[in-house]
């Protein structure tokens, strides 16, 4: 039985669909269901502890927070909790005796964090930022304390531990099935095995780069998800907001990256941010209110955190995948607690509010020249379980722009970019109008156009992808996408196809033949083996001798039908589109490479993509034409394609965060200038100025001296007839004046005929001049020079017999 | 294709053509590049707080919503006959003058309206209020006007009514004609009929435009109508002012103007010298502008014969309409 291809593909796709996991993963076995139920119960219980907590009572029995730092130093067992009683008289204090922060860390934090708090009711004095959604970039270094920090050994709760080892056992069994050499001696439940895994965030280098992207929610009484939990004034918080931060730490080479999703709160009155991670082994969010150093902060943090947790996840929503996610992050990454102090802005609270409003909804209200930035004066990240403390490097700036400011910058750039696209579009339309005749089209290099169109296709596809990610910039990005697709898909594609159609008669010929300008259509078997220049000598006829007669059997040139245009355009479109999509995904992958590789790739890629005039240079040489594209097009296109690269490489404040790289800018622009100067040299000194004349094959001579013997062999009989009819003149016996009709203007051409080679010396200057007045084609048809040259600018084809003609 | 106006397409009306193109491109550009706020005029935040007086001149440049766009576009399209009547240069000059007048007068109008309304409320409070009202300032319906060339179009609408003659009048009977005692003469009661001219489309579109944005579009239209009245009575200063021809050329055909401009300055003399065509062009444009007024009648006649010649078979619609033309 044979399946046809479509059915087979359909079956395969159906099969893949059936195998795909269906989003909501249900617990598969009874054991899993039990674990999940226990986990949910555990969470409800812990949240109860959280709700009842007071600042003086301490963390309570939360996973990961049983031991204080001193307990950890004394290697106490977490299961023996509680170790001490807290009352109002003997409250919990932020010291190593009670807290998980070592004294060295908490003293450092107290030095800079939450020092100065401003009056939030005061609208006019300098204030801290209100909305901190944005990104900050800086450098960090590992803190060195006199006493080394002792890492905690957080354990998972017993039921999760069992579940984890059970799933790992499963995994191991599968592994060992695959690989029988694997020894079973290594117990999977061994805790040492767990800690030897390289954890995310376990920094082994002393300095590196840090970038934090904050996304802040609105005030709890304004935010859509939190609003419903604000019932009275007590649950209203007017000077602090929830934030979610994505902290990314990487070494200076960008080879090792760790991303830590963190939860936290921004206190607007003091410009202080506290952050924490959370996982199955470290209930950072529930203990968060105790991490903020004083009771006032504790109260606000407790309200906001409770509302946030209630709004984002109810215990019933916790599914098996969320549990395993928490579990895997507990196993795979370090826990962190972070403290960040922002700098005061130079604006008052009301001004800041106005600026924020204007940035979100543009009204044309004048903005100050320097928009407020996220400036971090100091920051500290402490990891209890990895025993690491990171501080900001004070020698460098740790700052960045808010999202709204970045979007504004993007908007400006994109507006300018769309104008550039329109300019490119106009240039292309003009160029297409200019180059209409086949003579001009045959000079244009297909590869040059291909490279230009490839750039635009890449742009179009990347903007198409981008348009689905942004909301505020959607309109302009989709407009750019449409413009690029018009430019690339309509105009450039049409131009490409017409050039390709025009040059279709070159298929099967060799470079050598085109150089020679014979334009013959004989299919050459040598042209397929790649080394095309070798084909030259084989096909080269002896100079001086005229090519074989046209009457000899020669293959007809490929007749291009109507369907061929569609065929070519389909072919060009499909290959171009596929190539661009593959390249786009490759480029997305490149973004994650380490810096040095990325930079090398950038150099290579930009130089390659900007070498579009090189093929044209060779094409000019081949066709011996000085100029194919008009100069405005050449300069305009080069400038339009160079400008974005120069902007990225030379303007260090660019919102793409491309590094400052003058070497790249210089390389690319010099490379483009070199290409332009090559084209100019061709314009001035001829297309083949760089090739020694001797290497070139001899071009076809349109003005040969004809001999009677040639005429007798190849030419039409009326020449002979006209000679015979002439009165015989003994003085001019060697030079005959033959008269033929030029089939373009239908008037007479006088052609001097030599009776033999020796008679050449006898030619008068007048005859030599006269030689320039007629042209003889390789197919032995004779025309006036003016007539045929006019015709050749339209079509390189003999008007009489339609065989291809070499260019003049 | 159906012909909305007596003039076919944009033949010999380059200014109207440019205006329609600019209207479309500006509206599209403002919305794509998110610069719509540039053409908004509001007294309270913009003028009082930020002193952005440039808005007086920008707010009439473009409309920002779709229905306004359709209406203004249609009106500009109908006012082609005005361009034929005045000539291109005079027409553009008049639009410029109306633009300045409308910008300034409308601004004065809304400022006075706002202050007057505030004061009126204060007086009412003073007279009827139980407590003595304090003079407090608040924004009123006079605070903002709808963006777009509503004032200019209103002025032109009045010109259109004044200078463009009607080509036919027709009557729609709303109820059955009542036959009175005199059986020889059918008398129709005047309240039950609707008399319309060939201008009724313009009236209809203008009426829609007037009401399209409620009070904020009625305000500039009233100002525009007042200016139009002044223009009709020949008491508007500056109505004889003419734009320089170079600006007209730039507006009508910017690409040609630009190439001309750059060729004059940066031409590279290579091989052979190009003939200087600048003066010729200038002369011909000048001539075109000057001749316009005289040629209008001839052209109409020529066009009419041309259309007749091109379409020997008159469609039913034309036959009907021609029956009304006396």
């Amino acid at each position: 039985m044979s399946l046809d291809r479509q059915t087979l593909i359909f079956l395969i796709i159906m099969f893949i669909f059936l195998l795909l996991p269906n989003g909501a993963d249900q617990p598969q076995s009874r054991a899993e269901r039990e674990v999940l139920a226990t986990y949910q119960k555990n969470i409800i219980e812990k949240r109860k502890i959280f709700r009842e907590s007071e600042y003086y009572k301490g963390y309570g029995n939360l996973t990961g927070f049983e031991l204080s730092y001193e307990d950890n130093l004394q290697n106490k067992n977490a299961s023996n909790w509680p170790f001490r009683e807290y009352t109002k008289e003997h409250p919990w204090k932020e010291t190593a005796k009670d807290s998980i922060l070592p004294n060295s860390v908490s003293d450092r934090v107290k030095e800079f964090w939450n020092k100065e708090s401003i009056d939030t009711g005061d609208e006019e004095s300098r204030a801290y930022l209100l909305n901190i959604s944005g990104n900050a970039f800086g450098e960090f270094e590992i803190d060195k304390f006199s006493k080394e920090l002792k890492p905690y050994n957080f354990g998972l709760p017993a039921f999760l531990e069992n579940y984890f080892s059970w799933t790992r056992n499963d995994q191991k069994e599968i592994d060992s099935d695959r690989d029988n050499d694997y020894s079973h001696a290594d117990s999977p439940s061994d805790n040492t095995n767990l800690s030897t895994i390289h954890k995310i965030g376990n920094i082994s280098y002393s300095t590196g780069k840090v970038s934090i992207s904050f996304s802040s929610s609105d005030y709890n009484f304004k935010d859509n998800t939190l609003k419903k939990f604000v019932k009275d004034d007590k649950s209203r918080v007017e000077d602090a907001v929830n934030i979610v931060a994505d902290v990314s730490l990487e070494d200076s080479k960008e080879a090792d990256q760790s991303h830590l999703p963190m939860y936290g709160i921004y206190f607007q009155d003091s410009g202080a941010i506290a952050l924490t991670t959370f996982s199955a082994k470290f209930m950072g969010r529930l203990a968060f209110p105790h991490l903020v150093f004083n009771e006032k902060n504790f109260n606000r943090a407790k309200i906001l955190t409770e509302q946030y947790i209630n709004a984002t996840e109810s215990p019933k929503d916790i599914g098996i995948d969320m549990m395993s996610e928490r579990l895997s992050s507990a196993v795979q990454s370090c826990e962190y607690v972070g403290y960040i102090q922002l700098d005061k802005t130079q604006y008052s609270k009301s001004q800041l509010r106005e600026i924020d409003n204007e940035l979100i909804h543009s009204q044309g209200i004048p903005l100050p020249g320097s928009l407020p930035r996220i400036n971090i004066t100091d920051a500290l990240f402490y990891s209890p379980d990895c025993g690491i403390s990171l501080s900001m490097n004070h020698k460098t700036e740790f700052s960045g722009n808010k999202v709204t400011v970045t979007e504004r910058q993007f908007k400006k750039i994109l507006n300018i970019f769309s104008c550039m696209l329109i300019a490119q579009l106009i240039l292309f339309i003009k160029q297409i109008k200019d180059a209409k005749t086949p003579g001009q089209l045959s000079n244009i290099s297909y590869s040059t156009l291909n490279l230009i169109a490839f750039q635009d296709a890449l742009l179009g596809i990347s903007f198409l992808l981008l348009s689905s990610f942004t909301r505020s910039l959607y309109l302009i990005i989709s407009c750019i996408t449409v413009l690029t697709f018009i430019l690339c898909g309509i105009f450039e594609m049409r131009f490409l196809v017409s050039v390709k159609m025009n040059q279709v008669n070159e298929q099967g010929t060799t470079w050598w033949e085109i150089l020679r300008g014979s334009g013959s259509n004989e299919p050459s078997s040598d042209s397929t083996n790649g080394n095309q220049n070798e084909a030259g000598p084989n096909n080269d006829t002896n100079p001086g001798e005229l090519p074989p007669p046209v009457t000899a059997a020669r293959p007809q040139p490929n007749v291009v039908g109507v369907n061929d245009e569609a065929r070519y355009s389909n072919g060009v479109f499909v290959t171009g589109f596929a190539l661009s999509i593959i390249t786009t995904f490759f480029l997305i992958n490149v973004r994650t490479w380490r810096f040095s590789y990325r930079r090398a790739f950038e150099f290579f890629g930009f130089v390659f993509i900007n070498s579009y005039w090189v093929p044209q240079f060779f094409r000019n040489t081949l066709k011996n034409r000085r100029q194919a594209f008009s100069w405005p097009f050449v300069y305009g296109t080069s400038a339009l394609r160079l400008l974005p690269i120069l902007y990225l490489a030379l303007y260090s404040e660019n919102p793409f965060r491309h590094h400052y790289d003058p070497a790249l800018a210089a390389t690319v622009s010099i490379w483009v200038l070199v290409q332009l100067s090559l084209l100019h040299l061709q314009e001035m000194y001829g297309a083949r100025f760089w090739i020694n004349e001797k290497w070139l094959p001899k071009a076809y001579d349109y003005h040969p001296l004809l001999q009677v013997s040639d005429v007798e062999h190849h030419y039409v009989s009326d020449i002979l007839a006209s000679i015979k009819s002439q009165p015989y003149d003994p003085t001019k016996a060697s030079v005959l004046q033959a008269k033929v009709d030029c089939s373009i203007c239908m008037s007479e051409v006088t052609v001097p005929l030599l009776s033999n080679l020796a008679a050449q010396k006898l030619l008068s200057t007048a005859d030599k001049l006269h030689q320039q007045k007629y042209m003889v084609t390789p197919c032995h048809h004779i025309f006036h020079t003016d007539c045929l040259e006019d015709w050749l600018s339209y079509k390189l084809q003999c008007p009489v017999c339609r065989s291809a003609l070499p260019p003049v | 294709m159906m012909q909305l106006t007596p003039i076919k397409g944009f033949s010999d009306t380059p200014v109207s053509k440019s205006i329609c193109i600019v209207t479309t491109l500006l509206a599209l550009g403002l919305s794509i590049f998110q610069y719509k706020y540039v053409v908004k005029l509001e007294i309270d935040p913009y003028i009082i707080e930020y002193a952005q007086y440039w808005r007086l001149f920008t707010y009439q440049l473009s409309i920002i919503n779709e229905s306004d766009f359709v209406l203004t576009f249609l009106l500009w399209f109908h006012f082609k006959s005005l361009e034929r009547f005045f000539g291109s240069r005079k027409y553009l000059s008049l639009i410029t003058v109306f633009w300045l007048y409308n910008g300034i007068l409308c601004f004065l109008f809304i400022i006075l309206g706002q202050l007057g309304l505030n004061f009126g409320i204060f007086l009412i409070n003073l007279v009827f209020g139980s407590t003595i009202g304090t003079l407090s300032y608040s924004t009123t319906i006079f605070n903002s006007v709808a963006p777009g060339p509503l004032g200019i179009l209103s002025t032109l609408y009045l010109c259109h009514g004044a200078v463009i003659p009607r080509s036919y009048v027709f009557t729609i009977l709303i109820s059955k004609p009542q036959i009175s005692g005199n059986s020889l003469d059918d008398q129709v009661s005047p309240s039950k009929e609707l008399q319309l001219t060939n201008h009724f489309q313009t009236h209809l579109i203008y009426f829609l435009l007037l009401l399209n944005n409620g009070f904020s579009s009625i305000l500039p239209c009233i100002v525009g109508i007042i200016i139009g009245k002044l223009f009709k009575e020949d008491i508007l200063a500056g109505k004889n002012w003419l734009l320089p021809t170079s600006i007209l050329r730039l507006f009508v055909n910017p690409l040609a103007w630009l190439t001309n401009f750059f060729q004059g300055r940066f031409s590279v003399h290579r091989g052979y010298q190009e003939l200087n065509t600048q003066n010729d062009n200038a002369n011909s444009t000048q001539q075109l502008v000057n001749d316009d007024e005289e040629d209008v009648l001839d052209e109409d006649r020529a066009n009419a014969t041309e259309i007749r010649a091109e379409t020997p078979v008159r469609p039913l619609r034309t036959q009907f309409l021609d029956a009304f033309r006396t």
Side-chain angles (χ1 to χ4, degrees), chain A residues 20 35 55 177 180 228 268 287 344 410 519 531 540 552 663 711 724 736 757 779:
Chain A
L20 278 178
V35 171
Y55 194 61
D177 282 350
N180 285 327
K228 55 181 180 246
Q268 293 177 343
K344 252 188 199 171
F410 271 122
N531 198 354
D540 194 17
V711 175
K724 276 171 191 158
L736 297 168
L757 267 178
C779 46

PDB file of all heavy atoms in Angstrom, chain A residues 20 35 55 177 180 228 268 287 344 410 519 531 540 552 663 711 724 736 757 779:
ATOM      1  N   LEU A  20       1.791  16.194  21.953  1.00  0.00           N
ATOM      2  CA  LEU A  20       2.111  17.434  22.663  1.00  0.00           C
ATOM      3  C   LEU A  20       1.417  17.461  24.020  1.00  0.00           C
ATOM      4  O   LEU A  20       0.265  17.049  24.141  1.00  0.00           O
ATOM      5  CB  LEU A  20       1.647  18.641  21.849  1.00  0.00           C
ATOM      6  CG  LEU A  20       2.585  19.096  20.743  1.00  0.00           C
ATOM      7  CD1 LEU A  20       1.959  20.252  20.005  1.00  0.00           C
ATOM      8  CD2 LEU A  20       3.920  19.517  21.313  1.00  0.00           C
ATOM      9  N   VAL A  35       1.210  14.261  47.109  1.00  0.00           N
ATOM     10  CA  VAL A  35       2.243  15.266  47.373  1.00  0.00           C
ATOM     11  C   VAL A  35       1.682  16.656  47.151  1.00  0.00           C
ATOM     12  O   VAL A  35       1.893  17.574  47.942  1.00  0.00           O
ATOM     13  CB  VAL A  35       3.467  15.015  46.471  1.00  0.00           C
ATOM     14  CG1 VAL A  35       4.436  16.173  46.567  1.00  0.00           C
ATOM     15  CG2 VAL A  35       4.146  13.736  46.866  1.00  0.00           C
ATOM     16  N   TYR A  55       5.954  42.089  63.950  1.00  0.00           N
ATOM     17  CA  TYR A  55       7.378  42.312  63.796  1.00  0.00           C
ATOM     18  C   TYR A  55       8.166  41.709  64.955  1.00  0.00           C
ATOM     19  O   TYR A  55       9.194  41.081  64.766  1.00  0.00           O
ATOM     20  CB  TYR A  55       7.677  43.804  63.666  1.00  0.00           C
ATOM     21  CG  TYR A  55       9.073  44.081  63.184  1.00  0.00           C
ATOM     22  CD1 TYR A  55       9.482  43.611  61.931  1.00  0.00           C
ATOM     23  CD2 TYR A  55       9.987  44.783  63.952  1.00  0.00           C
ATOM     24  CE1 TYR A  55      10.759  43.833  61.471  1.00  0.00           C
ATOM     25  CE2 TYR A  55      11.275  45.009  63.493  1.00  0.00           C
ATOM     26  CZ  TYR A  55      11.646  44.530  62.247  1.00  0.00           C
ATOM     27  OH  TYR A  55      12.918  44.747  61.786  1.00  0.00           O
ATOM     28  N   ASP A 177      18.757   2.760  31.991  1.00  0.00           N
ATOM     29  CA  ASP A 177      18.287   1.896  30.919  1.00  0.00           C
ATOM     30  C   ASP A 177      19.016   2.192  29.627  1.00  0.00           C
ATOM     31  O   ASP A 177      19.365   1.298  28.860  1.00  0.00           O
ATOM     32  CB  ASP A 177      16.779   2.099  30.694  1.00  0.00           C
ATOM     33  CG  ASP A 177      15.995   1.357  31.762  1.00  0.00           C
ATOM     34  OD1 ASP A 177      16.633   0.575  32.489  1.00  0.00           O
ATOM     35  OD2 ASP A 177      14.770   1.589  31.856  1.00  0.00           O
ATOM     36  N   ASN A 180      23.910   1.176  30.245  1.00  0.00           N
ATOM     37  CA  ASN A 180      24.004   0.114  31.237  1.00  0.00           C
ATOM     38  C   ASN A 180      25.261   0.202  32.088  1.00  0.00           C
ATOM     39  O   ASN A 180      25.357  -0.402  33.147  1.00  0.00           O
ATOM     40  CB  ASN A 180      23.964  -1.246  30.541  1.00  0.00           C
ATOM     41  CG  ASN A 180      22.553  -1.557  30.100  1.00  0.00           C
ATOM     42  OD1 ASN A 180      21.608  -1.149  30.779  1.00  0.00           O
ATOM     43  ND2 ASN A 180      22.409  -2.230  28.990  1.00  0.00           N
ATOM     44  N   LYS A 228      -9.222  45.198  44.472  1.00  0.00           N
ATOM     45  CA  LYS A 228     -10.330  44.563  45.201  1.00  0.00           C
ATOM     46  C   LYS A 228      -9.964  44.197  46.638  1.00  0.00           C
ATOM     47  O   LYS A 228     -10.830  43.930  47.453  1.00  0.00           O
ATOM     48  CB  LYS A 228     -10.824  43.334  44.429  1.00  0.00           C
ATOM     49  CG  LYS A 228      -9.748  42.331  44.109  1.00  0.00           C
ATOM     50  CD  LYS A 228     -10.334  41.170  43.319  1.00  0.00           C
ATOM     51  CE  LYS A 228      -9.279  40.139  42.986  1.00  0.00           C
ATOM     52  NZ  LYS A 228      -8.975  40.011  41.593  1.00  0.00           N
ATOM     53  N   GLN A 268       8.697  54.424  48.244  1.00  0.00           N
ATOM     54  CA  GLN A 268       8.901  55.676  47.519  1.00  0.00           C
ATOM     55  C   GLN A 268       9.379  56.805  48.424  1.00  0.00           C
ATOM     56  O   GLN A 268      10.000  57.746  47.954  1.00  0.00           O
ATOM     57  CB  GLN A 268       7.594  56.094  46.843  1.00  0.00           C
ATOM     58  CG  GLN A 268       7.183  55.167  45.739  1.00  0.00           C
ATOM     59  CD  GLN A 268       5.858  55.553  45.135  1.00  0.00           C
ATOM     60  OE1 GLN A 268       5.102  56.307  45.728  1.00  0.00           O
ATOM     61  NE2 GLN A 268       5.584  55.030  43.961  1.00  0.00           N
ATOM     62  N   ALA A 287       8.378  35.591  54.248  1.00  0.00           N
ATOM     63  CA  ALA A 287       9.214  36.182  55.300  1.00  0.00           C
ATOM     64  C   ALA A 287       9.653  37.585  54.945  1.00  0.00           C
ATOM     65  O   ALA A 287      10.337  38.239  55.719  1.00  0.00           O
ATOM     66  CB  ALA A 287      10.436  35.296  55.524  1.00  0.00           C
ATOM     67  N   LYS A 344      18.153  60.391  44.786  1.00  0.00           N
ATOM     68  CA  LYS A 344      17.041  61.319  44.658  1.00  0.00           C
ATOM     69  C   LYS A 344      17.049  61.949  43.281  1.00  0.00           C
ATOM     70  O   LYS A 344      18.118  62.197  42.717  1.00  0.00           O
ATOM     71  CB  LYS A 344      17.203  62.445  45.693  1.00  0.00           C
ATOM     72  CG  LYS A 344      16.226  62.359  46.820  1.00  0.00           C
ATOM     73  CD  LYS A 344      16.334  63.599  47.668  1.00  0.00           C
ATOM     74  CE  LYS A 344      15.736  63.354  49.028  1.00  0.00           C
ATOM     75  NZ  LYS A 344      16.001  64.433  49.963  1.00  0.00           N
ATOM     76  N   PHE A 410      12.927  54.862  21.421  1.00  0.00           N
ATOM     77  CA  PHE A 410      12.652  53.945  20.323  1.00  0.00           C
ATOM     78  C   PHE A 410      11.714  54.594  19.324  1.00  0.00           C
ATOM     79  O   PHE A 410      11.878  54.442  18.117  1.00  0.00           O
ATOM     80  CB  PHE A 410      12.029  52.653  20.842  1.00  0.00           C
ATOM     81  CG  PHE A 410      13.052  51.623  21.216  1.00  0.00           C
ATOM     82  CD1 PHE A 410      13.105  51.109  22.486  1.00  0.00           C
ATOM     83  CD2 PHE A 410      13.954  51.165  20.280  1.00  0.00           C
ATOM     84  CE1 PHE A 410      14.049  50.167  22.831  1.00  0.00           C
ATOM     85  CE2 PHE A 410      14.896  50.217  20.615  1.00  0.00           C
ATOM     86  CZ  PHE A 410      14.941  49.719  21.896  1.00  0.00           C
ATOM     87  N   GLY A 519      28.353  36.608 -26.317  1.00  0.00           N
ATOM     88  CA  GLY A 519      26.956  36.392 -25.966  1.00  0.00           C
ATOM     89  C   GLY A 519      26.347  35.190 -26.624  1.00  0.00           C
ATOM     90  O   GLY A 519      25.149  35.134 -26.849  1.00  0.00           O
ATOM     91  N   ASN A 531      34.739  25.704 -12.181  1.00  0.00           N
ATOM     92  CA  ASN A 531      35.919  26.450 -12.587  1.00  0.00           C
ATOM     93  C   ASN A 531      35.672  27.028 -13.957  1.00  0.00           C
ATOM     94  O   ASN A 531      36.108  26.504 -14.979  1.00  0.00           O
ATOM     95  CB  ASN A 531      37.125  25.519 -12.576  1.00  0.00           C
ATOM     96  CG  ASN A 531      38.403  26.311 -12.562  1.00  0.00           C
ATOM     97  OD1 ASN A 531      38.378  27.536 -12.664  1.00  0.00           O
ATOM     98  ND2 ASN A 531      39.511  25.617 -12.454  1.00  0.00           N
ATOM     99  N   ASP A 540      37.490  29.870 -27.105  1.00  0.00           N
ATOM    100  CA  ASP A 540      38.046  31.043 -27.752  1.00  0.00           C
ATOM    101  C   ASP A 540      38.420  30.706 -29.183  1.00  0.00           C
ATOM    102  O   ASP A 540      39.205  29.796 -29.444  1.00  0.00           O
ATOM    103  CB  ASP A 540      39.274  31.496 -26.962  1.00  0.00           C
ATOM    104  CG  ASP A 540      39.681  32.875 -27.370  1.00  0.00           C
ATOM    105  OD1 ASP A 540      38.848  33.560 -27.995  1.00  0.00           O
ATOM    106  OD2 ASP A 540      40.817  33.239 -27.068  1.00  0.00           O
ATOM    107  N   ALA A 552      24.930  27.947 -39.978  1.00  0.00           N
ATOM    108  CA  ALA A 552      25.229  26.679 -39.322  1.00  0.00           C
ATOM    109  C   ALA A 552      24.225  26.450 -38.208  1.00  0.00           C
ATOM    110  O   ALA A 552      23.703  27.391 -37.618  1.00  0.00           O
ATOM    111  CB  ALA A 552      26.638  26.699 -38.765  1.00  0.00           C
ATOM    112  N   ALA A 663      35.668  51.019  15.980  1.00  0.00           N
ATOM    113  CA  ALA A 663      36.387  50.185  15.017  1.00  0.00           C
ATOM    114  C   ALA A 663      35.418  49.603  13.997  1.00  0.00           C
ATOM    115  O   ALA A 663      35.679  49.596  12.792  1.00  0.00           O
ATOM    116  CB  ALA A 663      37.126  49.073  15.748  1.00  0.00           C
ATOM    117  N   VAL A 711      33.196  37.468 -48.274  1.00  0.00           N
ATOM    118  CA  VAL A 711      31.863  37.747 -48.783  1.00  0.00           C
ATOM    119  C   VAL A 711      31.331  36.559 -49.565  1.00  0.00           C
ATOM    120  O   VAL A 711      30.181  36.145 -49.411  1.00  0.00           O
ATOM    121  CB  VAL A 711      31.890  39.011 -49.668  1.00  0.00           C
ATOM    122  CG1 VAL A 711      30.542  39.249 -50.307  1.00  0.00           C
ATOM    123  CG2 VAL A 711      32.314  40.209 -48.847  1.00  0.00           C
ATOM    124  N   LYS A 724      29.212  42.983 -58.964  1.00  0.00           N
ATOM    125  CA  LYS A 724      29.258  42.617 -60.382  1.00  0.00           C
ATOM    126  C   LYS A 724      28.692  43.715 -61.254  1.00  0.00           C
ATOM    127  O   LYS A 724      29.148  43.952 -62.359  1.00  0.00           O
ATOM    128  CB  LYS A 724      28.484  41.315 -60.600  1.00  0.00           C
ATOM    129  CG  LYS A 724      29.355  40.106 -60.297  1.00  0.00           C
ATOM    130  CD  LYS A 724      28.534  38.853 -60.296  1.00  0.00           C
ATOM    131  CE  LYS A 724      29.373  37.714 -59.722  1.00  0.00           C
ATOM    132  NZ  LYS A 724      28.556  36.634 -59.226  1.00  0.00           N
ATOM    133  N   LEU A 736      36.958  47.395 -53.856  1.00  0.00           N
ATOM    134  CA  LEU A 736      35.661  47.488 -54.511  1.00  0.00           C
ATOM    135  C   LEU A 736      34.685  48.213 -53.602  1.00  0.00           C
ATOM    136  O   LEU A 736      34.796  48.137 -52.371  1.00  0.00           O
ATOM    137  CB  LEU A 736      35.112  46.094 -54.805  1.00  0.00           C
ATOM    138  CG  LEU A 736      35.926  45.252 -55.765  1.00  0.00           C
ATOM    139  CD1 LEU A 736      35.439  43.831 -55.724  1.00  0.00           C
ATOM    140  CD2 LEU A 736      35.806  45.836 -57.163  1.00  0.00           C
ATOM    141  N   LEU A 757      44.292  40.390 -49.008  1.00  0.00           N
ATOM    142  CA  LEU A 757      44.841  41.014 -47.813  1.00  0.00           C
ATOM    143  C   LEU A 757      45.863  42.088 -48.142  1.00  0.00           C
ATOM    144  O   LEU A 757      45.968  43.102 -47.460  1.00  0.00           O
ATOM    145  CB  LEU A 757      45.482  39.941 -46.934  1.00  0.00           C
ATOM    146  CG  LEU A 757      44.595  39.334 -45.856  1.00  0.00           C
ATOM    147  CD1 LEU A 757      45.331  38.257 -45.111  1.00  0.00           C
ATOM    148  CD2 LEU A 757      44.090  40.405 -44.915  1.00  0.00           C
ATOM    149  N   CYS A 779      26.716  37.742 -37.192  1.00  0.00           N
ATOM    150  CA  CYS A 779      25.909  36.900 -38.070  1.00  0.00           C
ATOM    151  C   CYS A 779      25.906  37.433 -39.504  1.00  0.00           C
ATOM    152  O   CYS A 779      25.007  37.114 -40.276  1.00  0.00           O
ATOM    153  CB  CYS A 779      24.497  36.788 -37.517  1.00  0.00           C
ATOM    154  SG  CYS A 779      23.812  38.367 -37.017  1.00  0.00           S
TER     155      CYS A 779
END
